[in-house]
Structures are given as C-alpha cells and as structure tokens.
Amino acid sequence: MAQVLSDIEIAQQTALEPIVKIAEKVGLTDDDLELYGKYKAKISFDAIKRLSKNEDGKLVLVTAITPTPAGEGKTLTTIGLAQALNYMGHKAVVALREPSLGPVFGIKGGAAGGGYSQVLPMEDINLHFTGDMHAITAANNLLAAAIDNHVHQGNALRIDVRRVIWKRVMDMNDRALRNIVVGMGGKVCGFPREDHFMITVASEIMAALCLASDLMDLKKRMGDITVAYDLDGNLVTARQLGVEGAMAILMKDAIKPNLVQTIEHTPALVHGGPFANIAHGCNSVVATKLALKMGDIAVTEAGFGADLGAEKFMDIKCRFAGIKPNAVVVVATARALKMHGGVDKKNLQEENIEALKKGFANLAKHVENMRTYDVPVVVGINKFATDTDAEIATLRQLCADYGVDAALNNCWAEGGKGGVELGEKVLQLIAQPQTPYKPLYDVNDTIAQKMETIVKKIYGGAGVVFESKAQKQVAELEKFGLDKMPLCVAKTQYSLSDDPSLLGAPKDFTVTVKDVRVCTGAGFIVCQTGDIMTMPGLPKVPAANRMDIDENGVITGLF
Amino acid sequence: MAQVLSDIEIAQQTALEPIVKIAEKVGLTDDDLELYGKYKAKISFDAIKRLSKNEDGKLVLVTAITPTPAGEGKTLTTIGLAQALNYMGHKAVVALREPSLGPVFGIKGGAAGGGYSQVLPMEDINLHFTGDMHAITAANNLLAAAIDNHVHQGNALRIDVRRVIWKRVMDMNDRALRNIVVGMGGKVCGFPREDHFMITVASEIMAALCLASDLMDLKKRMGDITVAYDLDGNLVTARQLGVEGAMAILMKDAIKPNLVQTIEHTPALVHGGPFANIAHGCNSVVATKLALKMGDIAVTEAGFGADLGAEKFMDIKCRFAGIKPNAVVVVATARALKMHGGVDKKNLQEENIEALKKGFANLAKHVENMRTYDVPVVVGINKFATDTDAEIATLRQLCADYGVDAALNNCWAEGGKGGVELGEKVLQLIAQPQTPYKPLYDVNDTIAQKMETIVKKIYGGAGVVFESKAQKQVAELEKFGLDKMPLCVAKTQYSLSDDPSLLGAPKDFTVTVKDVRVCTGAGFIVCQTGDIMTMPGLPKVPAANRMDIDENGVITGLF
C-alpha cells in the first residue's frame, strides 16, 4: 500500500513553473509583475486596468455546510475544482484568501488547500508570503500609536480614552494580549487605559482592503475609519488624526493582488483574508474581479458555512463589487453530516446511514438559502477515505430527492482529475443565462429589519432580540445617519443559530444581538451575537513546536 | 539659483538600473537572486558559498564623532565614499543597516542616505523593504506568545512570571506600549503580569541575525536566547520552549542579504539594523563578508559615535566574524564640532573658529580611540552649505596638527564626484599592509575588568562603578559561567561619558553601570549605563502626518 504523504511533502515534490510562465497563460507580461522570488508575484494596477477591457468570465463561489471539527475542505475544493476545469480544457483561475500566521503556529495550521489540490509555494503562502499581513499590521498599529500620541500631546480632539474603539493587532495567537493595560510608567509613557490586541486578519484595514477598488479608495476608506468617541460622544475618524496618507503608503503594495500557482499550475490569486466573523471573510474584490478578466471561469470561496461567508459574499461583497456568482458549490462531507445527525466525533469512522439522513437537514438549509439569491447550486461532496459506498450513495440520493445536483470529488488524492464530475455539473450551471443580482435585503431598511430578514430567511430562526446596550447603539447609529449599510453578523460558525450546540437545521430559536458597531472604513455594520474571540490562543502543544528547517532550507512540520 | 530638491525628489528623478544588472557587476546571476520587484533582491546562500572562494577585498569602516542634533551624515558618507571609489575606477560595494519603520514615521525619518548619496528605491528601503523587520517581529512575538502560553498551560518549566526577560516588539514608535499589563480578563486570557514592548530593532533576534553566519547558526542562537528565570533562579531558554525551529522558519529569508543600488548604481547590501545601544549597531556579518567577496573595497558603517558603534564593531563584530577594517573614516562636521565647543544649535549658521577649535577635542579623542585598534584613520569632513572657508581651513589645520589625514567631501550635493578627495586618502590607507586584529580586551577578563578597559581607554573616564543590583547580576553571570563574552555597553550616544550633557572630550568622570544582562543568543553581555529607551515615542506632529501617496503611486513627505 502506498504511503500517504503529508501536504508539505506533496508540495515539496512538485516542480513549480516560474510565475512568469503562469502569468503568460492569462495575458500578463514580465512588466505587469513585481516578482517576490521566482514563484510569487504582485500584479500591477496598470496591468489590471489593461485587463479590465477583457470580457468577464463566469464566477463560481465555493461555500459549505455548517462546519464541524471533522473538516469540510472548502479551500481544497475551490482549488480542486479550478484544476478540474483546466484538466477539462477550460481556462479557470482561482481566487483565494491569504492564510494568517497566527493559526499556522496554533492549532489549525496552514490554509493553502491540501493533498494534490494546494496553492504553492505553500511554505511561503503560509508564512510571510508577499508581506500583506505585515503591511496591515503596520498600518493598523500606526493608527493606534497616533491615537495615544494625540491624547498624550494635548488631546486637541478631546478623545475619550474610555471609548477608544481602535485596537492594536498582531499576526500571532497570543491570548495574553487580549486584554491589557497600556500607558503605564508615568508621564513620559502616555495616559493609562484599557486596550486590546486582535489578530491582524480581524483589523478593519483588512476588511477595507478586501472591499476597496484601488489604493485611492483604500486611502479614503482608511481615513473614514471610526477610531474613538470624543468626550461629547461624537465619532473621531482616522482622517482627523491626519495619518491616512502614511497608512496608504504602508499599503501601497498590499493592495496589489498576489499571483501564485496550484499544484497543477493553475493560476491562483491569493489576496486578502478578513475574519469571516467580525468581517466578511472573502478574498479581495480586486482579486476576484481580476480573476474574472484572467480566465473563462473564476473560482472563489467564502469563509465558514454559507450562513456566514456566503451570505456576506452575496450581501456585502457582491453589492459593493457589482458582481454575482453564476453558480454556487456547497461543500459537504458525509462525516460532517453524520455529526450534524448526532454522531460523536470519535465515532465518525463507522458507517451510520441514519445519522447521515438526519444531518442532511443542515445541507438542505444551506442549499435553500443560496437559492434565495437566485443562483444555481450544486453540492460538492468531498470524499474521505473512510466514507462507505452506502453513505455516498445515500447522500447522492438525498440530494436528488431534495432536487439539487450533487457531485463527488476526490481532489485531495487525485487533484483536478478527481474533480471532473463536479466540474461537469458546474459547467452545466454556468451555461444557464444569469438572472439579475438579488440581495437578501435593502440597505435602506432599518438595522432591526435587516437583522430580522437575515435571521428568518437564512438562519431559519423565529426572530431577533437586541439587548438594551445594542438597542442604544442602534439608536446612536441612526442619529449619526450611519445605519444604511449592509450588516455583517458576527455569529458562531458552528450552528445556523447563535448557539454553537444546535447542530443540523435548528428552528424556533431567537438570535440575540449583544453589540452593534459601525465599520465606517469597511462600510458595514457589525451585529455581534454571542462572544466573539478576535485574538486566538495557542494550544497546549502549538503547531510551532513540531516545525523545523534544515541546512538545505527544507521545512518540516508545516501543514 | 537652482532649487534645492528633497531627498525623495532626487530619488524619484533617478532612473534605476534593473537589480539583475547591478548583480552582474559583482558576479551574481539571475539564479542567485530572489527578486522583490525589479530593484530589490535577496541573495541566495548558494551564491554566497560560491563567492566565498573569491579573494577578500579591503574593508573600510565609516564611523563618526559624538553625534549632535546638528547631524553628521555617516550613512551619506558611507554611500558617497563607495560612489567616489567607483567613480575613480575601483570596484566598491556598500554594506549598510536597514532602516526601522518606527523612526520613519516619528522624528528621524528615513535612513537611506541623502541628496546624491542615497540607496534606492529609498521609499521601499524605508518602508517594508524585503520584510526582514517583519520577520524579526514575528519570530520575536512567537517566542513571547510561547512563554505566556507555557505558563498558561501548566508551566512545566516553572517560569517565574515576575522574571520574564523576553519582551514583545513592534516596529513602531509607540510609547503607550513601553509599560503594560498583559493577561487581564480572567482564566481564558492567561496569567496577568507586567510586560513591555520594544521597537523591533531592539530585539535580540536582530542582534543574533547580524552576528550569525547562516540560518543554522541563527537557529542555534535563537534557541540559546535566555527568556526568563524559573522559580529556582535558573535561566530558561527558547530551546526549552521548543520553538526555535518555528522561529528559524520565520527567519529563512530574513537571513539572506538584500541587494539594492545607490543613486550612481553602486551595488549596496542593506541588511540588518540592530540598536547601536543595547545591541552592537552594525549591519549583518553575512552582508559585510559578502561585500568583501563582491568588490575590491567594501565600505560599511557602525551606529552612533565611534565610542559606541565602532567600539562594538571592533570588539564584537570583528571578533565574531574574523574581520578587521583596512581603514576607518571618522565623519565630522564643522557644525557638530562647534556644538561640542559650546555653541547653541540655533547659532550654528554663524562662523565660530574658537568653538570649532575647542570642539575638536571630541574628534581627536575618537581618532585616538580608533588607533588603539591599530587601524589607519582618516577624518571625513562632511560639507554643509553654511560652513565657511575659514572653518574648513581651520578644521583641516587642526587635523594636520594632530597628525591625522583629513578630506573634505561634498557627497550630498555631488554624489561620488564630491567624495574624490576622501576616496584618495582611503586608497592610500588601504594600500598599507594590514596589521593583525587587536581587540581592546580579552573576553576572558572579568566583566568588571572589561568594563574598566572600555571606560578608561575609549571613553576617557577615570573608572567605573557597578550599582549594587548590577554587582549582583555580575555575580550571577559568573556563577552561571556566562561572563566570558564581549561587552555591549548601552550608553548615551550624546557624550563620550554616560552623562549626555558632557560634550567635547570630558575627563575624570566615572561611569555607572546600573544593569547587567546576558544575551545568550547574540553572544554578548549588555552593561547598561543610564536609562535606555527601547521603545521611542512619536513627537507632537509625527512625520507620518506630512506623508501622502497619489493615484500614480508617487509618495510625498518621506525623507
């Protein structure tokens, strides 16, 4: 029996093509690229402008059922599908999110796909890549330093140090920085106040980067960011501190999309990666729109389950970018559906048809949700070695009975070849004429109305309750005239409801909004349900502890 | 009258050569480079190994008198001299330190030379460059997170949270982070303790990078770093936390030297930039040794005045690297010497021969000091527009009377052409046969002996006093057998003594050592005199506030 290789071993066995060769395939010349080594490049805005004259390709969004610790393989499927489409003679391009360093050293590990469906060089993509995360960290923390410095130097804007909204960030899982006191040490060290670090991907600058059309738009958005309240209760913006120009200088390269390749040399744009929780969780608008110009088909992904990532993809990203997917793939696994049907994680190896049938309700709800947006849907069944034939057959039958296309894919083990069935279904769907963009709600509805629409139509709940603090915040946003923006719901990814223990497709629940705040730079309103952790911690034995590099530069333990 | 252009305007008017062309001049091929855009590249260790077979060129160290707010122009002279040597038909290469983002946005601004003696692209070098600073920040903070996580997860090593030595870093001037309390928020957020952020260049990882011979040596050094004491008073190292492999992965590219060009297309290695205070303040050993293989002459610099930067260059860097300069340039300006002679900063425009004569004592002491190391010395007079002919003539005469060569240079305004006189003097000096390496002290002397030697022979003081805390620390290092390393004195750069108000060449003073600690990763012992600020703050109007970038990507306000 063949030895099963790890992701990094498979990656290291792959002979990469020079990125200039990959670029040629999609109409880019040497002059369009800023190389970062031989296998990574940023694409210039001159090139983006030139390609903008091309006709748009078709857009395929990959989303998933409610995630479980069993793993769904969304990034894997996104890469595998694009490889499959190329294998079948089409010109497909991938547009993905950038991994964050924090999880790489924590529990989750890298986020560059897996098996024979990876983006490469996976070591670099999972580490510093082209420095986008570091640029965001620097711009975020320059703004933070400017706030405390402004207060220290006389506080002309009368910033209320009890109500500073802007937090510092670090691209590391570091729980000790979640809640801190800064400014200790007396007069030369500023005014003491409570503060918090978030992980870099949670920065509003990341969300703004991903929604911006270019550097000037990003500069404007960064200037618009609300950083604090003043002592009279007015909002203070980054522009009032005068640092949006310097922040834009720091972001001048980060705004340019990154080109890499998949294991089968499919062109891949990997750019931007906001939290799918307090932000919208999709790669950059610039990269997605460029992918549409580079290929006949652009395959992209949205974070967490379809209730979070895909809802925000449709209601935030598509609304701002003027795009709409031609097809949506909802990734499901027999294993995860068994968990939604009540099976404990440790018993997932055993066949359990009844649990699978019960758990199917979760998949059905996500399919129904995506159809609300008037987009054609196919279920992508991501094959695991332990799935039984009976389970796969049952899952196919359940999909057929429900009236949704389904395709098995084996892209981890086989790469693009393993995704041909899914590729065929996707090609059928995108051949259909596209209907107009149909968002879930009107941004001019009240915050309460918008929230109720999302809860009832997407989550399947009975209604929504705003806690008293949240009610006051809504009233304040209405007073400031800042309520006419899309909502970005921060909710547990482990349930369609706001209770992580409710698996499957729960009903009759009420969602509680605890906190409402505006992201004036990103352009959305965050409605927070439950507790959101914006700075992860390291586990007992962090992934960092198994990592090493030898004298030949060969990395081990990174996956 | 011609308009005086700013540094960034001069830089933006320069047509750069592709970095592959610059590389060709020094025997490097495309395959030896990892490009970062068209004008920056990292050099592979394979190439470094190949070039190591070349004969060594001559090494010129540029240092300076005791710095004043009037400015000396050390980096400018280093670049200008190398340009001059090339202009005169020699093959000279520059090896410089990397600027830090913090000062760029604070008061000091960029650090890439000035006028017609700059390294380019100055915008990139002054901003993210090739990401080395960010890599150090990440590696430093991964280790910090590992410490608090270890304590949180059961503290098997019994780390004493009252005695954690390792600090977090950020590449930003942010006084609010100097003294903080971390781990607030209850059980899921770790154990509360006092903590501190430093600016990234102050990280011991930066010092270790600059002294390491390659990635494996750097990994070993990072594993050796002392991070805390345990509850029994034993030292705890990074290796005991098991993260030196992951740290090395983060540093895999940062250890490779960066190649750029000067305004006159002279090859320039810009790599590493440790604090010249709590660290040794010189660019990397890897880059300096590579520069010796790339050119007939390598011109490099050391931070602050010769009592700090050059002393550490000679006693730390040369000792570890097995190198010795063939000549030393001590940079002086008439303006700064007038300040040493008692003139107030606001009156420096006026001619003052008497003050110049009085202030010359400072220059004479630095020349004397460098001769202690048995190296030939030339004074590089950096010309300012306001210097009078009489002042320059006086300074030349003072040097002649003292018995040291001197050369005027006008490299800011004229580039290499303005450095021909200095170039000629340097060529004379390096033509002399080299004497053996002669450090100031034996590392096997006691800490007290080594400190006394530095104070008496270099600073010109009468003696040294160790405060009681420092005495205990010395005894502890002796107990651990960690006292046989070179000293790295942290002292004010504004005086030869430890009192910043004593200008000129003070005598009969005593230096007080307040704190002694070991950097087991870098390989030296820091003796701290006075208060050392390892995290700068922003001024009332930070440089960041004047910066902007337009829709064509043109940056303004960065200098």
Side-chain angles (χ1 to χ4, degrees):
Chain A
M1 194 176 146
Q3 192 199 346
V4 176
L5 297 175
S6 70
D7 290 348
I8 194 168
E9 286 168 334
I10 293 169
Q12 286 167 349
Q13 288 182 1
T14 305
L16 291 175
E17 287 185 4
I19 199 66
V20 290
K21 291 272 169 203
I22 303 293
E24 272 174 26
K25 295 188 197 178
V26 289
L28 294 168
T29 68
D30 279 24
D31 272 351
D32 296 330
L33 303 181
E34 288 166 20
L35 295 179
Y36 284 68
K38 293 179 179 60
Y39 308 110
K40 298 166 285 177
K42 283 198 168 278
I43 299 173
S44 75
F45 268 85
D46 285 346
I48 293 172
K49 260 179 225 156
R50 196 182 70 237
L51 291 188
S52 71
K53 291 162 199 151
N54 291 1
E55 214 173 308
D56 275 328
K58 306 281 187 169
L59 180 61
V60 180
L61 171 67
V62 177
T63 180
I65 60 170
T66 301
T68 69
E72 285 61 54
K74 205 162 49 211
T75 303
L76 166 77
T77 302
T78 308
I79 297 167
L81 172 59
Q83 290 185 154
L85 291 166
N86 278 286
Y87 178 79
M88 295 159 74
H90 296 267
K91 199 171 145 188
V93 173
V94 186
L96 295 175
R97 293 169 296 164
E98 298 183 49
S100 161
L101 266 182
V104 166
F105 294 116
I107 303 176
K108 187 171 171 278
Y116 290 89
S117 294
Q118 297 186 55
V119 280
L120 304 178
M122 75 83 99
E123 295 95 329
D124 290 356
I125 296 170
N126 279 318
L127 295 170
H128 306 294
F129 199 22
T130 58
D132 295 344
M133 293 284 170
H134 295 316
I136 291 165
T137 303
N140 184 103
N141 293 341
L142 173 61
L143 179 54
I147 295 166
D148 281 304
N149 188 58
H150 180 88
V151 173
H152 177 74
Q153 304 281 3
N155 202 7
L157 292 170
R158 304 180 69 246
I159 288 171
D160 187 344
V161 291
R162 302 164 307 181
R163 299 183 82 192
V164 174
I165 298 161
W166 195 249
K167 297 173 182 173
R168 290 175 168 84
V169 298
M170 186 185 281
D171 194 11
M172 198 56 65
N173 286 11
D174 192 346
R175 70 171 64 74
L177 292 179
R178 281 177 193 153
N179 302 291
I180 64 175
V181 178
V182 300
M184 313 286 282
K187 197 177 172 186
V188 296
C189 299
F191 289 89
R193 67 178 181 86
E194 192 182 330
D195 196 13
H196 312 272
F197 267 83
M198 305 188 298
I199 191 163
T200 298
V201 285
S203 170
E204 188 177 343
I205 294 174
M206 175 59 98
L209 168 84
C210 288
L211 293 170
S213 53
D214 57 24
L215 183 59
M216 290 301 104
D217 183 29
L218 177 58
K219 183 166 80 172
K220 186 194 165 296
R221 286 169 179 273
M222 292 192 297
D224 288 341
I225 286 170
T226 302
V227 298
Y229 290 84
D230 70 17
L231 288 162
D232 303 317
N234 299 310
L235 299 178
V236 178
T237 65
R239 189 170 295 108
Q240 290 176 269
L241 293 164
V243 290
E244 82 273 21
M247 292 166 74
I249 289 175
L250 284 167
M251 297 296 290
K252 76 180 174 67
D253 297 313
I255 185 73
K256 297 172 194 162
N258 306 297
L259 180 66
V260 291
Q261 64 191 290
T262 75
I263 221 158
E264 296 179 4
H265 316 303
T266 298
L269 295 170
V270 179
H271 191 223
F275 248 38
N277 213 324
I278 60 162
H280 61 293
C282 315
N283 71 292
S284 77
V285 164
V286 169
T288 302
K289 291 180 94 163
L290 178 60
L292 289 169
K293 300 295 184 185
M294 281 167 51
D296 302 330
I297 307 163
V299 188
T300 190
E301 60 171 350
F304 293 150
D307 53 324
L308 283 168
E311 188 274 314
K312 294 171 186 177
F313 185 91
M314 298 303 304
D315 287 316
I316 299 175
K317 180 172 175 173
C318 288
R319 197 188 300 259
F320 287 148
I323 54 174
K324 186 189 174 187
N326 297 79
V328 172
V329 177
V330 178
V331 175
T333 62
R335 290 158 57 87
L337 290 176
K338 283 191 284 184
M339 275 195 76
H340 279 293
V343 176
D344 192 273
K345 195 187 169 186
K346 65 178 188 293
N347 300 324
L348 286 176
Q349 311 272 21
E350 298 162 23
E351 183 177 282
N352 192 330
I353 303 290
E354 283 318 300
L356 180 61
K357 284 180 179 171
K358 198 170 157 223
F360 180 79
N362 183 269
L363 171 56
K365 176 60 180 155
H366 286 296
V367 171
E368 178 195 318
N369 287 350
M370 293 321 300
R371 287 178 171 168
T372 308
Y373 296 96
D374 230 349
V375 284
V377 179
V378 56
V379 172
I381 305 170
N382 182 25
K383 193 178 178 326
F384 274 74
T386 52
D387 296 342
T388 67
D389 291 345
E391 284 175 339
I392 297 297
T394 303
L395 184 46
R396 284 182 183 275
Q397 190 58 48
L398 287 164
C399 289
D401 293 347
Y402 185 80
V404 63
D405 284 330
L408 189 70
N409 70 76
N410 192 17
C411 298
W412 194 97
E414 297 182 88
K417 204 177 152 189
V420 169
E421 187 191 342
L422 180 59
E424 282 168 354
K425 297 282 185 191
V426 165
L427 288 172
Q428 286 166 19
L429 296 185
I430 64 175
Q432 300 170 16
Q434 194 170 29
T435 56
Y437 175 58
K438 189 186 159 199
L440 189 69
Y441 55 80
D442 184 338
V443 286
N444 293 314
D445 290 346
T446 65
I447 292 172
Q449 285 167 341
K450 287 181 276 199
M451 190 66 202
E452 191 166 294
T453 303
I454 294 171
V455 169
K456 288 188 172 169
K457 291 209 186 158
I458 300 294
Y459 304 163
V464 57
V465 172
F466 286 75
E467 287 188 353
S468 59
K469 176 182 153 199
Q471 284 178 24
K472 277 185 206 150
Q473 291 166 321
V474 169
E476 195 175 64
L477 290 186
E478 287 170 350
K479 185 188 83 183
F480 289 131
L482 291 172
D483 58 325
K484 307 300 186 204
M485 289 188 240
L487 297 194
C488 184
V489 182
K491 181 181 74 68
T492 176
Q493 67 267 37
Y494 295 117
S495 172
L496 276 154
S497 76
D498 59 349
D499 174 356
S501 69
L502 297 181
L503 299 187
K507 285 195 196 314
D508 302 323
F509 58 87
T510 303
V511 168
T512 305
V513 177
K514 296 185 168 187
D515 191 75
V516 178
R517 63 206 152 79
V518 67
C519 292
T520 36
F524 52 62
I525 294 158
V526 176
C527 287
Q528 185 174 322
T529 71
D531 297 321
I532 300 302
M533 195 74 93
T534 54
M535 173 54 96
L538 291 170
K540 183 141 184 125
V541 182
N545 286 48
R546 67 174 183 235
M547 295 182 189
D548 205 359
I549 183 166
D550 71 14
E551 65 275 17
N552 299 313
V554 177
I555 292 172
T556 45
L558 177 65
F559 29 82
Chain B
M1 193 176 146
Q3 193 199 342
V4 176
L5 297 174
S6 70
D7 289 349
I8 193 169
E9 286 167 335
I10 293 168
Q12 286 166 352
Q13 287 182 2
T14 305
L16 292 174
E17 285 184 6
I19 198 67
V20 290
K21 291 271 170 203
I22 303 293
E24 272 173 28
K25 296 187 196 178
V26 289
L28 295 167
T29 68
D30 280 24
D31 271 352
D32 295 330
L33 303 181
E34 289 166 22
L35 296 177
Y36 284 69
K38 293 178 179 59
Y39 307 111
K40 297 165 287 177
K42 282 196 168 282
I43 299 173
S44 76
F45 268 85
D46 285 346
I48 294 172
K49 259 179 227 158
R50 197 183 67 239
L51 292 189
S52 71
K53 290 161 200 152
N54 292 0
E55 214 173 307
D56 274 329
K58 306 281 188 169
L59 180 61
V60 180
L61 171 67
V62 177
T63 180
I65 59 169
T66 301
T68 69
E72 285 62 53
K74 203 163 48 211
T75 303
L76 166 77
T77 302
T78 309
I79 297 167
L81 172 59
Q83 290 185 154
L85 292 166
N86 277 287
Y87 177 79
M88 295 159 74
H90 295 267
K91 200 170 146 188
V93 174
V94 185
L96 295 175
R97 293 169 297 165
E98 298 184 49
S100 160
L101 265 183
V104 167
F105 294 116
I107 303 177
K108 183 169 173 281
Y116 289 90
S117 295
Q118 296 186 55
V119 280
L120 304 178
M122 75 85 101
E123 297 95 327
D124 290 356
I125 295 170
N126 279 318
L127 295 169
H128 306 294
F129 198 23
T130 58
D132 295 344
M133 294 283 170
H134 296 317
I136 291 164
T137 304
N140 184 102
N141 293 341
L142 172 62
L143 179 52
I147 295 166
D148 281 305
N149 187 58
H150 180 88
V151 173
H152 176 74
Q153 303 283 2
N155 201 8
L157 291 171
R158 303 180 70 248
I159 288 172
D160 186 344
V161 293
R162 303 163 306 180
R163 300 183 82 191
V164 175
I165 298 162
W166 195 247
K167 297 172 182 175
R168 290 173 168 85
V169 298
M170 186 185 283
D171 194 9
M172 196 58 64
N173 286 11
D174 192 347
R175 71 171 63 72
L177 293 178
R178 280 175 193 154
N179 300 292
I180 63 175
V181 179
V182 301
M184 314 284 282
K187 197 178 171 184
V188 296
C189 300
F191 289 89
R193 67 177 181 89
E194 193 183 330
D195 196 13
H196 312 272
F197 267 83
M198 305 189 297
I199 192 164
T200 298
V201 285
S203 171
E204 188 178 344
I205 293 174
M206 175 61 98
L209 168 84
C210 288
L211 293 170
S213 53
D214 57 23
L215 183 59
M216 290 302 102
D217 182 29
L218 177 58
K219 183 167 83 173
K220 185 196 165 296
R221 286 170 178 272
M222 291 192 298
D224 286 343
I225 287 172
T226 302
V227 298
Y229 290 84
D230 69 15
L231 288 163
D232 303 318
N234 299 310
L235 300 178
V236 178
T237 64
R239 187 171 295 107
Q240 290 176 270
L241 293 164
V243 289
E244 82 273 21
M247 291 167 75
I249 289 175
L250 284 167
M251 297 296 291
K252 76 181 173 68
D253 297 314
I255 187 73
K256 298 172 193 162
N258 306 297
L259 180 66
V260 291
Q261 64 192 289
T262 75
I263 221 158
E264 295 179 4
H265 316 303
T266 298
L269 295 171
V270 179
H271 191 222
F275 249 36
N277 213 324
I278 60 163
H280 60 294
C282 315
N283 70 289
S284 77
V285 165
V286 169
T288 301
K289 291 182 94 162
L290 178 59
L292 289 170
K293 299 295 184 184
M294 281 167 50
D296 301 332
I297 306 163
V299 188
T300 190
E301 59 171 351
F304 294 150
D307 53 324
L308 283 168
E311 187 275 312
K312 294 172 186 177
F313 185 91
M314 297 305 303
D315 286 317
I316 299 176
K317 182 172 174 173
C318 288
R319 197 187 299 259
F320 287 148
I323 55 175
K324 185 188 175 187
N326 298 80
V328 172
V329 178
V330 178
V331 176
T333 63
R335 290 157 57 85
L337 290 176
K338 285 190 283 183
M339 276 194 75
H340 279 293
V343 176
D344 191 274
K345 195 187 168 187
K346 65 179 186 293
N347 300 325
L348 287 175
Q349 311 273 18
E350 297 160 23
E351 184 178 279
N352 192 328
I353 303 290
E354 284 318 300
L356 180 61
K357 284 180 179 168
K358 196 170 159 224
F360 180 78
N362 183 268
L363 172 56
K365 176 63 181 152
H366 287 295
V367 171
E368 177 196 320
N369 287 348
M370 294 320 301
R371 286 178 172 168
T372 308
Y373 296 96
D374 230 349
V375 285
V377 179
V378 57
V379 173
I381 305 171
N382 182 24
K383 192 180 177 326
F384 274 73
T386 52
D387 296 343
T388 68
D389 290 345
E391 284 175 340
I392 297 297
T394 304
L395 184 46
R396 283 183 185 275
Q397 189 58 50
L398 288 164
C399 289
D401 294 346
Y402 185 80
V404 63
D405 283 331
L408 189 69
N409 70 76
N410 193 16
C411 298
W412 194 98
E414 297 182 89
K417 205 177 153 189
V420 169
E421 186 190 343
L422 180 59
E424 281 167 355
K425 299 280 186 195
V426 165
L427 287 172
Q428 286 165 19
L429 296 185
I430 64 176
Q432 301 170 15
Q434 193 168 30
T435 55
Y437 173 58
K438 187 186 163 199
L440 188 70
Y441 54 80
D442 184 336
V443 286
N444 293 315
D445 291 346
T446 65
I447 292 172
Q449 285 166 341
K450 286 180 277 198
M451 190 67 203
E452 190 166 291
T453 304
I454 294 172
V455 169
K456 289 188 173 165
K457 291 211 187 155
I458 301 294
Y459 304 161
V464 57
V465 171
F466 285 75
E467 287 188 351
S468 60
K469 177 181 152 197
Q471 285 177 24
K472 277 185 205 148
Q473 291 167 322
V474 168
E476 194 175 64
L477 291 186
E478 286 169 350
K479 186 188 81 180
F480 289 132
L482 292 172
D483 56 327
K484 307 299 184 207
M485 291 188 239
L487 298 194
C488 184
V489 182
K491 180 180 76 66
T492 177
Q493 67 265 41
Y494 294 116
S495 171
L496 277 155
S497 76
D498 59 349
D499 173 356
S501 69
L502 298 181
L503 299 187
K507 286 195 194 313
D508 302 324
F509 59 87
T510 302
V511 168
T512 306
V513 177
K514 297 184 167 188
D515 192 74
V516 178
R517 65 206 149 75
V518 67
C519 292
T520 36
F524 52 63
I525 294 158
V526 176
C527 286
Q528 186 174 322
T529 71
D531 297 322
I532 300 302
M533 194 73 91
T534 53
M535 172 55 95
L538 291 170
K540 183 142 185 125
V541 181
N545 286 47
R546 67 174 183 235
M547 294 181 189
D548 205 359
I549 183 166
D550 71 12
E551 64 275 17
N552 299 314
V554 177
I555 292 173
T556 47
L558 177 66
F559 30 83

